[in-house]
Amino acid sequence: MQLGLSFSDSDVSSFTPLVVLELADDTKAEAITWLLNRIRDKQQNGGAELLVNQLLFPAQDDQKSNPNVFVVGSTLQRLLNGAEDVGLFKEFQDGTMRGFTYANRESFKDFNGDGEGFLSDAECQYIIKHGLDTLRAKNEQHVPGYPKLKLYPGKSVVRRLQSKGVLIQYFPLHNKEDLKRLSFSWYKKFKLSFQPLDDIRHYFGEGLALYFGFLEYFTFALVPMALIGIPYYLFDWEDYDKYVLFAVFNLVWSTVFLEVWKRCSATLAYGWGTLSRKKAFEEPRAGFHGALGFNPVTGREEPVYPSSKRQLRIYLVSVPFVLLCLYLSFYVMMVYFDMEFWAINTYHENPNIATSILLFVPSIIYAVVIEIMNLLYRCAAEFLTDWENHRLESSFQNHLVLKVLVFNFVNCFASLFYIAFVMQNMVLLRQSLATLLITSQILNQVMEAFLPYWLQRRRNKKVHKRMRRLMGDKELPLLGQVQLETEMNTYLGTFDDYLEQFLLFGYVSLFSCVYPLAAVLVVLNNITEVYSDAFKMCHVFKRPFSEPAANIGVWQLAFETMSIIAVVTNCALIGLSPQVKAYFPESDTQLILIVVAIEHVLLAFKFILAFVIPDVPKHIQVKLAKLDFDSLEALKKRVSTHLHMCTYLLHENRKCDSLSGSTSVQIVI
């Protein structure tokens, strides 16, 4: 085996490989040389100042190995400077979280000696990613060797290569020892305890740790609902009047649940240093395109796409398409009801074991169809949102989330609303809810856990067999690891994970009063979800780059919207109960007015509660205020020092050129 003979004189073992970079196997040699030189070049020259070497895999008989695979690392000095560049927050000696600065490095807790071990692998990999992402074209007119791949000053090199397929992928390497320890404390030992969120954050970053924190919090919050739901299921199965009390508890629970989570999220984010961290300036997405123009913020040339054209695409194409999909969803729902009525009539005509089982078949088929439709729509929504050509990744994600949530909500819950408020059949509502919930959970576990596990085991066996055949008894841990991880699935983010929890939250908060075991089923699902998701993150997916996050983002708004709908739904279900209707035997109008009034009071109570409960705990507010005060005092002290120095120099009839860099007195802050 030879390492780096083509583009580097140093050996891979001279630095710790942190990131793998894979180019297309037919990439031009000029482009490779140019890219590697840019990665290695000094920052003041516009480079990333990183270490990079080529991995050369042995020739294989059955298939050709990609020769353009590289590993990227960095010196400790570059990483520490990069930590300041990306605005990393670390714990100070006084216990507060402060933005890291290299000049004050000795004042930070856990910084010992030269700083070895001060930054986690995830933080180092994030800094390297930031360095690669900020590589910008200088005076190049095009990518060397590719006259059609145009460049202009300030264009992101990595995004350009990605969008044109020259750069296939780049991802962080797993750390085998850290992964082994995390796996053991996370999912290999079954125990009823809290997840090691700090370890998850240390290895995968804040964004993923917040998802698992939310999953854990949601599961524990469901326990009171489950404990109350079990006796309701056992003793009041046929007495639907009793669900009024459960609906009232459901209202209070769905209101308090999210308000307390915001406080928990703020506590976690502060301890991880992301709560007060400033949001980084967003660069254009890799797929964003348009005519070359001038950005008044950055002062750089970059593609510009008129907002009016984007709005036309949204309102003339995307919105009609979403409405068409909603119409198809309603049509499928009506077909389901025809099947349901046929099954019920068949059972009434000939009641036996076979026809009683037949009663559940339409709901099972409908649940499977819902999952298929959600999957197909998700692909169409991604295509449409990409076609809308959003400039920023955050805007792209917001529009995608909105499209997917609207369709999934209608597709999953429309039939339940129809049964509850049009048919007013609580028996059928209970049966449909139970079938939809159980079937969707089984399908999700198969698609998210068992299928990826089985596929990854097959890949692992093929890779290990190929490496043993080629290399014999030689130990090549890095080559084998890179070969294995390049073939792993790419983790696409927490979108699907949050979406699943959003739908489960909807099943519980909207209609669990008529099927009290819904919370029990969701608790069981989430317990298995923790273990299956943990296994996938550790052994099925490539390691994702750490992404700073202070909260769960747009999903907080989605869950809060669902909780508002839950208030309306549960009030309506209470109004439909025979127990409440008995108080208004002759006046449905009066009943409706009272239910609407109660609903408005509860909504007002919900908003007052959200206002009264602070999103950030008091002790964290004090620490943040103290940090702002210290920053202001430091700024005042610096200004005062400059003023005293200039006054002294003027008194001595000396110029301040050495301080300010000009013939006049300047105060530089």
Side-chain angles (χ1 to χ4, degrees):
M1 179 191 68
Q2 293 178 317
L3 295 175
L5 293 180
S6 299
F7 305 103
S8 175
D9 296 327
S10 60
D11 190 76
V12 174
S13 60
S14 61
F15 65 87
T16 301
L18 293 171
V19 173
V20 175
L21 189 148
E22 183 180 7
L23 302 175
D25 58 3
D26 58 349
T27 305
K28 305 288 186 181
E30 308 98 284
I32 297 175
T33 304
W34 168 74
L35 177 61
L36 297 186
N37 288 335
R38 291 299 310 275
I39 293 175
R40 294 190 182 108
D41 203 2
K42 300 291 185 182
Q43 286 184 285
Q44 54 265 35
N45 299 331
E49 203 169 338
L50 298 172
L51 307 175
V52 58
N53 271 316
Q54 185 181 23
L55 283 179
L56 297 180
F57 293 93
Q60 302 179 25
D61 297 332
D62 54 342
Q63 63 182 41
K64 182 181 178 182
S65 296
N66 187 354
N68 299 324
V69 178
F70 305 86
V71 287
V72 184
S74 176
T75 63
L76 180 59
Q77 177 72 33
R78 171 67 178 89
L79 291 173
L80 292 174
N81 289 328
E84 182 175 351
D85 294 339
V86 301
L88 206 65
F89 269 60
K90 304 293 282 187
E91 188 175 359
F92 213 61
Q93 294 288 6
D94 61 1
T96 59
M97 302 299 295
R98 298 172 184 258
F100 177 78
T101 57
Y102 185 76
N104 295 328
R105 59 191 181 280
E106 300 291 345
S107 300
F108 285 85
K109 188 178 179 181
D110 299 328
F111 191 97
N112 301 314
D114 59 357
E116 186 73 30
F118 179 69
L119 299 174
S120 67
D121 277 357
E123 291 168 338
C124 294
Q125 290 163 339
Y126 175 71
I127 293 169
I128 289 177
K129 179 180 184 294
H130 179 266
L132 293 174
D133 288 343
T134 52
L135 274 179
R136 302 196 174 279
K138 295 186 289 186
N139 299 319
E140 301 93 342
Q141 299 297 318
H142 58 83
V143 175
Y146 295 90
K148 294 184 178 180
L149 293 189
K150 302 297 182 183
L151 291 174
Y152 49 85
K155 173 63 179 177
S156 172
V157 171
V158 169
R159 286 183 174 86
R160 186 61 168 169
L161 296 177
Q162 273 187 304
S163 63
K164 296 303 180 180
V166 177
L167 175 59
I168 297 176
Q169 60 179 340
Y170 67 116
F171 59 90
L173 272 172
H174 278 292
N175 184 307
K176 292 184 177 180
E177 293 301 320
D178 289 348
L179 184 62
K180 185 177 180 180
R181 286 192 294 267
L182 176 61
S183 299
F184 182 78
S185 63
W186 194 5
Y187 73 90
K188 284 191 174 180
K189 185 172 63 175
F190 183 82
K191 58 186 185 304
L192 295 176
S193 63
F194 295 103
Q195 297 179 85
L197 295 180
D198 288 332
D199 294 338
I200 298 171
R201 175 254 172 179
H202 188 271
Y203 192 83
F204 288 111
E206 294 82 14
L208 200 63
L210 275 175
Y211 161 70
F212 282 102
F214 177 81
L215 178 60
E216 177 180 273
Y217 171 81
F218 183 30
T219 305
F220 277 100
L222 282 168
V223 171
M225 290 278 289
L227 293 177
I228 295 175
I230 291 174
Y232 261 82
Y233 177 83
L234 294 177
F235 303 113
D236 296 319
W237 177 254
E238 298 297 339
D239 189 356
Y240 296 106
D241 295 345
K242 301 295 183 182
Y243 74 68
V244 175
L245 294 176
F246 196 87
V248 172
F249 178 79
N250 203 345
L251 288 173
V252 177
W253 175 83
S254 62
T255 301
V256 175
F257 162 68
L258 293 170
E259 295 305 317
V260 179
W261 161 249
K262 283 192 285 189
R263 293 172 61 85
C264 295
S265 173
T267 302
L268 290 173
Y270 177 79
W272 296 337
T274 56
L275 185 61
S276 54
R277 184 174 178 176
K278 292 182 179 179
K279 188 177 181 181
F281 179 77
E282 276 197 88
E283 298 290 346
R285 294 175 56 246
F288 177 67
H289 57 85
L292 195 62
F294 179 77
N295 188 325
V297 177
T298 62
R300 298 193 300 257
E301 284 187 312
E302 65 178 44
V304 176
Y305 189 77
S307 177
S308 57
K309 288 187 178 181
R310 185 180 300 110
Q311 297 301 319
L312 287 175
R313 290 187 174 191
I314 292 174
Y315 291 109
L316 296 184
V317 178
S318 296
V319 171
F321 176 79
V322 173
L323 293 177
L324 175 62
C325 291
L326 294 180
Y327 171 78
L328 292 176
S329 177
F330 280 113
Y331 181 80
V332 171
M333 180 187 73
M334 299 312 297
V335 172
Y336 155 67
F337 283 128
D338 290 339
M339 295 173 58
E340 194 72 58
F341 294 146
W342 170 79
I344 293 174
N345 292 333
T346 303
Y347 174 76
H348 287 320
E349 291 175 1
N350 185 20
N352 54 51
I353 297 178
T355 54
S356 62
I357 296 176
L358 185 64
L359 290 174
F360 294 94
V361 172
S363 296
I364 294 174
I365 295 175
Y366 184 52
V368 174
V369 171
I370 283 177
E371 294 298 324
I372 295 174
M373 291 177 65
N374 286 343
L375 183 63
L376 295 176
Y377 177 82
R378 168 68 185 277
C379 298
E382 287 182 348
F383 173 81
L384 270 181
T385 310
D386 186 66
W387 177 72
E388 290 167 4
N389 196 26
H390 295 277
R391 178 178 177 273
L392 301 179
E393 183 65 27
S394 59
S395 177
F396 174 87
Q397 290 296 330
N398 289 340
H399 281 79
L400 177 61
V401 168
L402 181 61
K403 289 185 183 70
V404 173
L405 284 187
V406 168
F407 180 80
N408 276 258
F409 180 84
V410 172
N411 200 33
C412 294
F413 299 114
S415 62
L416 301 179
F417 278 101
Y418 187 86
I419 295 171
F421 302 118
V422 178
M423 300 173 61
Q424 297 187 14
N425 187 335
M426 297 304 163
V427 176
L428 182 58
L429 177 61
R430 180 192 67 201
Q431 175 188 318
S432 298
L433 175 61
T435 307
L436 286 174
L437 187 56
I438 295 172
T439 306
S440 65
Q441 289 181 351
I442 293 174
L443 290 176
N444 284 331
Q445 290 297 329
V446 171
M447 297 299 294
E448 293 183 8
F450 298 108
L451 184 60
Y453 171 72
W454 179 72
L455 292 176
Q456 190 57 42
R457 283 196 64 182
R458 290 188 62 189
R459 292 194 194 101
N460 291 357
K461 288 181 179 179
K462 288 182 179 179
V463 171
H464 289 315
K465 183 178 180 180
R466 188 161 62 241
M467 295 303 293
R468 284 197 304 267
R469 185 176 68 251
L470 291 170
M471 308 310 300
D473 297 329
K474 296 180 181 179
E475 287 289 335
L476 296 171
L478 179 60
L479 274 181
Q481 181 182 357
V482 172
Q483 183 77 19
L484 181 63
E485 293 187 24
T486 52
E487 298 186 13
M488 284 182 169
N489 294 328
T490 300
Y491 183 64
L492 300 177
T494 54
F495 185 98
D496 290 323
D497 298 315
Y498 278 120
L499 178 60
E500 180 184 355
Q501 296 305 310
F502 172 80
L503 296 176
L504 293 176
F505 177 70
Y507 284 125
V508 173
S509 61
L510 295 177
F511 299 107
S512 64
C513 59
V514 296
Y515 184 61
L517 281 186
V520 179
L521 294 176
V522 174
V523 168
L524 296 176
N525 174 82
N526 283 2
I527 291 174
T528 60
E529 188 82 11
V530 168
Y531 286 90
S532 62
D533 284 353
F535 174 80
K536 287 189 302 180
M537 294 309 305
C538 293
H539 297 290
V540 175
F541 292 120
K542 295 182 181 74
R543 184 178 184 177
F545 280 106
S546 169
E547 287 295 338
N551 48 55
I552 62 175
V554 68
W555 291 102
Q556 181 74 35
L557 178 61
F559 279 92
E560 289 176 351
T561 303
M562 180 68 82
S563 69
I564 294 174
I565 299 174
V567 172
V568 179
T569 303
N570 281 274
C571 286
L573 288 173
I574 292 173
L576 291 175
S577 68
Q579 185 181 26
V580 174
K581 282 185 175 182
Y583 290 102
F584 306 92
E586 299 178 355
S587 177
D588 290 339
T589 303
Q590 187 178 6
L591 172 60
I592 293 173
L593 291 175
I594 291 177
V595 170
V596 171
I598 294 174
E599 168 212 308
H600 281 63
V601 170
L602 289 172
L603 286 175
F605 171 75
K606 176 181 176 60
F607 292 127
I608 291 172
L609 194 64
F611 177 77
V612 170
I613 299 177
D615 293 348
V616 180
K618 183 67 176 178
H619 69 282
I620 294 180
Q621 292 182 24
V622 172
K623 290 182 179 180
L624 293 176
K626 183 179 184 300
L627 180 60
D628 291 338
F629 176 78
D630 291 344
S631 300
L632 183 60
E633 289 298 306
L635 180 62
K636 290 180 179 178
K637 185 177 180 180
R638 187 176 179 185
V639 171
S640 177
T641 302
H642 278 281
L643 287 173
H644 283 301
M645 181 62 70
C646 290
T647 302
Y648 172 77
L649 293 175
L650 286 172
H651 185 266
E652 297 293 328
N653 293 321
R654 295 172 60 185
K655 294 181 179 180
C656 295
D657 293 357
S658 61
L659 177 66
S660 62
S662 68
T663 57
S664 60
V665 177
Q666 297 183 7
I667 300 173
V668 183
I669 300 176

